[in-house]
Structures are given as C-alpha cells and as structure tokens.
Amino acid sequence: MSTREHEAELQSEQQHVSALYTRLDAERTRVRQRYAAALRSPIDTKDGGTLVQRDSEVRALAREIHRLDIADNGLCFGRLDASSGESSYIGRIGIFDADDDYEPLLIDWRAPAARPFYTATGANPENMRRRRQFHTRGRQVVEFVDEILGRPDGHERGGSGDAALLAAVNAPRGDGMRDIVATIQAEQDEIIRLDHPGVVVIEGGPGTGKTVVALHRVAYLLYTQRKRIEHHGVLVLGPNSAFLRHIGRVLPSLGETDVVFMTTGDLVPGLQVTAEDTPECAVAKGSLRMLDVLAAAIADRQRVPADPIPVELADVTVRIDTETAEWARQEARETGLPHNPARAKFVEILTYVLTERAIARIGRGWLTREDKQAWEDLRGDLTEELAENEAFTAAVDELWPILTPESLLSSLYTSPERLQAAGADPALLRAQGDAWTVADVPLLDDLIDLLGPDKPADDSAERLRRAEAQYAAGVLDMMVSREDLMSDEDHLLATDLLYAEDLAERFVERDTRELAERAAADRDWTYRHVVVDEAQELSEMEWRVLMRRCPSRSFTVVGDLAQRRSVAGATSWAAMLEPYVPGRWVYRSLTVNYRTPAEIMAVAAALLAEFAPDVAPPESVRATGVRPWARRVTEDELASAMKDFVDEEAGREGTSVVIGPPGRPGAVAPSETKGLEFDAVLVVEPERILADGPRGAAELYVALTRATQRLGVLHCGPLPRALRGLSGGVGE
C-alpha cells in the first residue's frame, strides 16, 4: 500500500470511527434522558411496587450510563476482513444500527464474532483475510497496522502484527493495571473464553498476564452469563490492599462494577486484618486439623461441675450435680445445633430436673402426680423463678456459656491449659488473644457456624412494622369516623384504596446500597463466581472460607507455585482443589512473559533454577537492550545510594520502587509488591531477602521480576550466586 493509499485509508477509518462516536453520543443522551425521567416517575402506589420498579430501573440505567461512558476511551480498536469480503469492527461495546434491522456497527470484544480478532493466525486464518489494529488517541485514529492472514509474510505498513502489543508493554506504567482488551493474545483468549463450569486454574510465571486474563474472564462471564451472575456478583480476592488498588480499575474500564475486592483478612465483615503469624503458627492455623481443635475448644467450654452447685429458691434449695449436668450436656449436644442455640436444650433439661426435685420436696405429704394440674401449676411457678434466679443463671453461664468467635479464640490463645485441652499446637499461645492475624480470619469464620448467633434472632424490625401498621390503622379509623372531615369520595378512597399495611410500608427503610457494598457487609452472601489471585498462598482453612462463599464452585484461580512464600500455602493445585471439586477443575498455563524484558528475566531465571529447578521460566516477548546492574555499597552508603535512585527516577516518566528485606527503611518488602509492576526497580540487600525465612528465594524472585524496563541491585554483603552475572556485580 502506497503512502497516498495509506493516508486515504486512514481518513476512511477515521470517518467510520467518528460515526461510531456519534452513535455513542446519541445513545448516551437517550439513556441519560430515560434516567432523568425514571427519577421523576411517580412512586405513590398502595402496594409499593412502583418504588421497587423505579429503583430497579434507575440502577439499570445508571449502569448503562457508566458502560457508555467508559466506552469513550478506545471505543474501536480493530477491524476484521473476512475472506468473503465482509468487514467487522471490534471494540469495547456493541453498537447496532436501529435503522437497518439492528445491523452490528461495532462488535463487542466478548462476542463470538470477535474471537478471530484474537486467535486467527497466518497458519490458521479462521476464514479471515486481514486483521487491522488501530492506534488511537482520544477519538482520533492516529495509525493502523495490517496483518494479512493466511500467508507467513503477512505484514503490511506499520510493522509486524505485534506492534500494538509491543507498544502496550513498552508504554510507561501508571498508577494501576490497564485492561488488555485491544491486545489479548491467542493463549490468553483461549482461557478468557473457556467454557468450564467449575474451577479454572491459570498458572504462569511473572509477567505472563495471568491476573489481567482472569479479570477479562470475569468480564466475559458477565457478558455471557449475566442473568446467572449479576444479582450475586463476583468476588476478587487478592494478596494485599495495594494489589487490589492496582487492579481495581480494570473491570470498571470494561463496564463491570458488580464486583467485590477483598483480601483474606477482609473475609469476615467488620475485620480488616493485615498482620501475619510466624511460619510455625501459620502452618498450624492453616491446616484442616484446626477444625478438630475448634470443636474441642468448644466442647471444653461445655462443662459439668466438679461439686454440686446450690440454687436457693423461695421455698427450697436444689443442686446442679455432675450427673444432671452430664445428662443436660449430652442432650444439648445431640440436638446437632451450634453451641449457642443448643444452650436452650441444656437449660431445658436442667430446669426440668431441678423443678421436679423442688416439687417433690415442696409437695411432700400433700401433692401427688395424680394431681396433674397442681403439679403443672407449681412447675410453671418454679420455672419462672429459676429463669430469674441469679445463681441458676450464673451456673448456666459457667457450664454452657454464650460464646462469640472472638471470645472463644482469644481465650484459647491466652491459656496454655485450654490449648492443651483442645489438642492445639502450643505455638499458638500468645499474650494478647485478640491480636488478630490473617490466619485467624478463617478460624473466626468457621466459628460463626460452629457457635451460632450469640443472641436470639432479632425480630425488632418485624415488630416495628406491625406496630406502624397498627398505628396507621388507627389513623384510618379516625379518618373514617370523622365524617365531618371527609367527603364521600374521600371516604371511599380511604377505606377501599388505602390499607394500614400499605401506609406503614411507605415508611420502611429500603436498602439502597450497591450490590458490591451489600455483599461485602454480609458474611452469608454467596457469589456466583470467585477469582483468587496469588492462590498459591492460601491455606487449607482459607480455601474452606472461599468454598462457602461460592456454593456453585465457579472459580478462576490464578497463581504460580514457584512464587509461594507462605509455608501454609499450596504445594500442588490438586491437593487444595480435589477435596472440594473432584474432577471439576482444569489447568491452563501461560508461558509468555509480557512484562519482564529478556535481560532481566535471565537474572531471575538463574535464581529460579536454584530453588525450583523443575519450573521453566516464562519466555520474554521482548528485549530492551538495557542490562540490569549491581553495585556493592557499605551500610553507611546504602541510604544515599537509594536516594540517588529515587531522585533519578523522579525525573523520568513511569513508576519506580525500592524493594528490600522487611524492616529496611525506605524500601517495601517483596510481599507487598506481589502482582504489581513498575518501570524501574531497585532491589536492596538481596542477600538478606534470600536469608529471610524458608521462602526467601521466592521472595527475591518476586522482587527481581517486578521491573518492565530497568533493574538495579544494591548489596552490602556478598552478592547471591544467581545474581553474579549482573553488570558491575562482583563474583564473591
């Protein structure tokens, strides 16, 4: 194609894209008008249905406005020309021609018709002749690149078909992860569109795009299975809050907002836990053996008295002895109810035995069982007296206390005797019982079910509604009785068209929170799909929590076993998943590194070969020609050298970070950078990172693979062997 032809073609494409934006603007105006009209729509009906309908319509239109607004950025990014001569434009959303039998003007990237844009190759063109990728700035088509399909040398003006991909991976990083909707690669697209109802495991080394692929898979599932998913939403679980902020705008940029982002420390509403345990404690708490410990800890609090407990009533003193308490305990346990609800059976048995004994003593000589009515009347009086007796209440609280997850676990951790009685690891002993760690969260979550509610179900809302209805009925009665205040027509409306229940219903407070907010605040909320990132770090107990949150077992699991730092984490995917989804999980791997240049990946691969020789490093898609470097400094020089790096990078476009061993001033720990990427990375004291704990090598591997452009290393001690090939490194 000549330069003149190319310019003419570019102008033609600009006209088409401009027409698409005109359609987008018109649709946005139409939806905004409908939104405004919905807000003004009447809601005053006797059954309250219009209010619910109005709220539903307003929410739906608000979501549509958001979808149209985000489509403004990169609306159309490509075109497919079929062998038959037909052309299709591919973009963020679908746009249709209402004047021409809804002919598609722009195909949503998730639609089946768009798939060849990502998967067609020279060897397998999928009935396509050409793939054209646009480079846009705002609404302007700046350039396009053509790839002729069906022949091996199929690149036209603008360079190779990988030009858009290389431009994206070489671009400076911003504050968060960007979507890859315009540059999805074939191996990624296969996973995104995978039709599997169970668990999909995506494993890949650093920079392979596994996280962003998982997020695009969520967007795809919401597109293809919206009715199944949208009312329950999707949970995305990440390793830390920095990571969640980093990925947080990907799904909104794809028009999807019904998503809850959490860490494992957030899984119990009201808790936001970030502290970590020692490796020994983490292993103990993460094991399923803790289920037996929790059950034993609860059983240990269901006690019988060593000596009889006297209970003084008005006319007699009765005693709770060991035999009676043992019978009550057995009956309560056999109900199968959680601990707190089962207490009612325990109290019931104690009350029965004590009242029987009291009646026998009080009625000696004048009352027999044949006098059933007198016997039952006396039993009723004694039952009420026991319920109000402080000694009886104190005894019940001692023998079968009401427990909360927090009180049980806290008292367990601070008592060597209770730990021993529960068969727990002595390493769990600590001075402050409620100094919660991330590993405590799944235990607290399990205890919610094991203990049950610590108070009777709150029916106050229903009682309030009935009271309001009763009040409203009184108002209506007064209105009807005061004929001097009402005409015949008013009387008809009041009695026939308005009811007390309706009047009360108008004042019921409705939950207007968005789905994500409601789901995050509700421990019993169940999701239709869950994404687990850095899944290799999750313990057996953490997997239990997640499986409860998603009864359908629809998961996208993202991880890299070679990067596992938690000693309680996964050593194999089968070990974690088979107990929950036997035969219902599939494994897919990503092998191409889109983040880390070949020069940096060579250094990381040398380290990987030392601690995980069976794991193949991902192959970098590019080289930058910039070699990573290492420099030895003294402890006194280190802070100044770190500052020099920060100052130098401040003058460049993009992002940078200093990564060092935990506690190093001016640096972040490797664990805090998991899943993140930066243009430039300075790794400080790698020798200390390597020596820090049993997974130090994995930590250093994470640190070395965060950079997209430049990597430097400052070391005070001997440089680790795998890093001695760095420019300026000293082979010590």
Side-chain angles (χ1 to χ4, degrees):
M1 184 184 298
S2 68
T3 301
R4 179 174 295 179
E5 291 172 330
H6 180 81
E7 290 299 325
E9 191 76 3
L10 184 63
Q11 184 176 359
S12 174
E13 298 292 24
Q14 178 63 65
Q15 291 173 350
H16 186 87
V17 171
S18 295
L20 291 174
Y21 273 109
T22 298
R23 294 268 183 175
L24 176 67
D25 291 339
E27 180 66 8
R28 185 185 289 127
T29 298
R30 186 185 69 83
V31 174
R32 288 187 184 279
Q33 289 173 344
R34 287 184 57 196
Y35 178 78
L39 288 176
R40 296 192 300 267
S41 62
I43 60 173
D44 189 16
T45 64
K46 67 179 181 181
D47 61 2
T50 301
L51 178 58
V52 175
Q53 182 179 358
R54 195 283 303 267
D55 287 349
S56 177
E57 183 180 9
V58 166
R59 287 176 184 241
L61 290 170
R63 286 195 296 268
E64 181 66 5
I65 290 172
H66 173 74
R67 187 181 77 91
L68 296 172
D69 284 344
I70 61 96
D72 216 324
N73 182 24
L75 174 64
C76 176
F77 48 77
R79 167 179 147 181
L80 272 174
D81 295 343
S83 301
S84 61
E86 298 177 350
S87 296
S88 302
Y89 287 85
I90 313 299
R92 288 184 175 274
I93 64 172
I95 295 180
F96 302 89
D97 188 350
D99 300 327
D100 188 11
D101 200 23
Y102 284 91
E103 185 72 17
L105 301 175
L106 183 67
I107 297 175
D108 190 300
W109 67 274
R110 297 168 287 191
R115 183 165 191 172
F117 184 77
Y118 302 109
T119 59
T121 63
N124 182 25
E126 301 187 28
N127 297 318
M128 295 295 151
R129 180 179 62 86
R130 178 172 61 184
R131 172 170 44 228
R132 173 170 288 178
Q133 293 175 302
F134 297 146
H135 172 45
T136 60
R137 187 178 297 118
R139 298 189 172 197
Q140 185 72 28
V141 181
V142 178
E143 185 56 277
F144 65 79
V145 176
D146 283 347
E147 184 178 1
I148 305 302
L149 303 170
R151 70 185 201 212
D153 60 339
H155 300 137
E156 288 193 2
R157 181 184 179 93
S160 75
D162 293 332
L165 171 65
L166 292 175
V169 298
N170 278 312
R173 267 41 184 181
D175 293 333
M177 180 180 285
R178 295 166 294 190
D179 66 66
I180 58 168
V181 62
T183 58
I184 295 170
Q185 301 302 291
E187 70 167 357
Q188 298 172 328
D189 186 80
E190 188 271 333
I191 296 172
I192 289 170
R193 298 175 192 265
L194 186 62
D195 183 16
H196 182 75
V199 177
V200 176
V201 176
I202 308 173
E203 184 164 30
T208 52
K210 52 190 179 292
T211 296
V212 76
V213 166
L215 295 175
H216 282 68
R217 176 168 166 77
V218 169
Y220 176 77
L221 291 175
L222 284 166
Y223 177 80
T224 58
Q225 303 177 31
R226 191 168 299 279
K227 286 186 178 180
R228 181 182 76 86
I229 295 176
E230 67 175 349
H231 295 302
H232 286 257
V234 175
L235 171 64
V236 176
L237 193 82
N240 53 58
S241 57
F243 173 83
L244 295 180
R245 288 193 297 270
H246 178 66
I247 68 171
R249 68 184 186 188
V250 172
L251 283 166
S253 77
L254 298 172
E256 306 298 347
T257 57
D258 291 336
V259 180
V260 177
F261 293 91
M262 285 186 181
T263 69
T264 52
D266 304 327
L267 284 170
V268 173
L271 290 179
Q272 289 184 317
V273 182
T274 59
E276 295 188 0
D277 278 297
T278 63
E280 185 179 10
C281 285
V283 169
K285 293 178 181 180
S287 169
L288 290 179
R289 289 190 296 272
M290 279 301 297
L291 294 174
D292 294 332
V293 171
L294 297 179
I298 295 172
D300 183 52
R301 304 299 293 274
Q302 300 165 353
R303 308 176 62 193
V304 295
D307 300 308
I309 301 174
V311 178
E312 294 185 10
L313 301 176
D315 299 318
V316 68
T317 296
V318 291
R319 287 173 173 79
I320 303 174
D321 54 35
T322 301
E323 184 180 7
T324 299
E326 181 59 51
W327 178 36
R329 180 170 70 173
Q330 187 65 25
E331 290 286 330
R333 287 176 175 176
E334 288 180 357
T335 64
L337 294 172
H339 170 84
N340 290 329
R343 172 182 158 117
K345 175 59 72 172
F346 183 79
V347 173
E348 177 188 328
I349 299 299
L350 289 184
T351 300
Y352 171 79
V353 172
L354 296 185
T355 55
E356 282 288 303
R357 291 174 179 173
I359 293 171
R361 293 175 61 184
I362 295 172
R364 184 177 297 144
W366 63 272
L367 180 63
T368 66
R369 286 190 178 274
E370 282 69 29
D371 191 353
K372 294 181 180 179
Q373 186 60 51
W375 191 283
E376 290 304 319
D377 288 345
L378 184 53
R379 180 196 300 281
D381 294 340
L382 289 169
T383 298
E384 291 182 7
E385 188 177 354
L386 270 179
E388 298 175 357
N389 186 280
E390 293 183 0
F392 180 72
T393 301
V396 171
D397 288 342
E398 178 185 349
L399 301 177
W400 196 289
I402 293 175
L403 298 171
T404 66
E406 294 82 1
S407 67
L408 176 76
L409 206 56
S410 177
S411 62
L412 177 67
Y413 288 156
T414 55
S415 170
E417 294 77 20
R418 283 178 174 160
L419 286 171
Q420 183 178 15
D425 191 319
L428 300 186
L429 183 68
R430 66 190 186 201
Q432 185 178 346
D434 60 356
W436 305 123
T437 65
V438 172
D440 291 326
V441 173
L443 309 185
L444 292 167
D445 189 76
D446 246 297
L447 285 170
I448 292 174
D449 290 334
L450 292 173
L451 295 176
D454 58 356
K455 60 185 69 174
D458 184 6
D459 63 348
S460 57
E462 175 62 20
R463 286 188 282 104
L464 178 61
R465 189 196 65 78
R466 289 197 298 265
E468 289 175 340
Q470 185 176 5
Y471 172 77
V475 172
L476 289 179
D477 289 343
M478 181 189 70
M479 293 171 64
V480 172
S481 64
R482 292 292 303 276
E483 295 182 0
D484 59 315
L485 298 180
M486 304 182 66
S487 66
D488 290 341
E489 182 178 335
D490 292 332
H491 189 278
L492 176 65
L493 287 174
T495 56
D496 295 344
L497 300 183
L498 190 61
Y499 301 90
E501 291 279 341
D502 303 331
L503 189 60
E505 184 70 16
R506 298 182 183 205
F507 299 98
V508 173
E509 183 178 350
R510 299 180 186 277
D511 192 340
T512 59
R513 296 173 298 173
E514 294 297 327
L515 181 145
E517 188 179 0
R518 286 183 283 125
D522 185 354
R523 182 261 175 184
D524 294 322
W525 189 278
T526 57
Y527 299 90
R528 286 293 184 263
H529 191 76
V530 175
V531 175
V532 186
D533 210 321
E534 301 292 347
Q536 72 277 358
E537 307 296 347
L538 267 63
S539 69
E540 292 175 319
M541 290 297 293
E542 288 168 332
W543 277 111
R544 273 180 59 83
V545 179
L546 294 180
M547 291 296 171
R548 280 197 293 270
R549 298 294 194 271
C550 187
S552 65
R553 304 292 196 262
S554 177
F555 281 73
T556 299
V557 174
V558 179
D560 180 10
L561 294 179
Q563 294 188 62
R564 178 177 64 89
R565 59 180 291 270
S566 171
V567 290
T571 55
S572 77
W573 300 119
M576 288 298 186
L577 297 175
E578 275 295 323
Y580 300 104
V581 285
R584 284 192 60 222
W585 65 280
V586 297
Y587 175 88
R588 294 291 185 271
S589 64
L590 294 171
T591 59
V592 179
N593 189 327
Y594 301 100
R595 175 206 299 149
T596 315
E599 295 87 349
I600 297 176
M601 197 61 220
V603 178
L607 177 64
L608 182 66
E610 289 188 357
F611 77 92
D614 296 332
V615 178
E619 182 180 353
S620 295
V621 75
R622 68 196 171 103
T624 61
V626 179
R627 293 189 61 192
W629 55 267
R631 180 158 61 93
R632 186 165 189 169
V633 294
T634 67
E635 183 69 35
D636 292 339
E637 296 171 333
L638 183 57
S640 177
M642 292 166 58
K643 184 177 183 303
D644 290 343
F645 168 83
V646 172
D647 291 343
E648 182 179 353
E649 289 299 329
R652 290 176 167 171
E653 186 178 6
T655 60
S656 63
V657 69
V658 178
I659 305 175
R664 161 54 63 185
V668 298
S671 60
E672 297 177 30
T673 66
K674 296 201 75 170
L676 308 183
E677 57 184 23
F678 306 87
D679 291 271
V681 171
L682 180 67
V683 178
V684 174
E685 297 185 292
E687 66 277 17
R688 284 185 54 196
I689 297 175
L690 196 60
D692 183 30
R695 298 296 299 175
E699 294 276 72
L700 182 55
Y701 183 60
V702 168
L704 294 173
T705 53
R706 299 305 96 194
T708 67
Q709 302 291 340
R710 300 174 295 281
L711 172 67
V713 174
L714 294 175
H715 59 107
C716 298
L719 196 63
R721 181 173 56 186
L723 278 59
R724 291 175 187 173
L726 289 174
S727 173
V730 180
E732 300 176 67

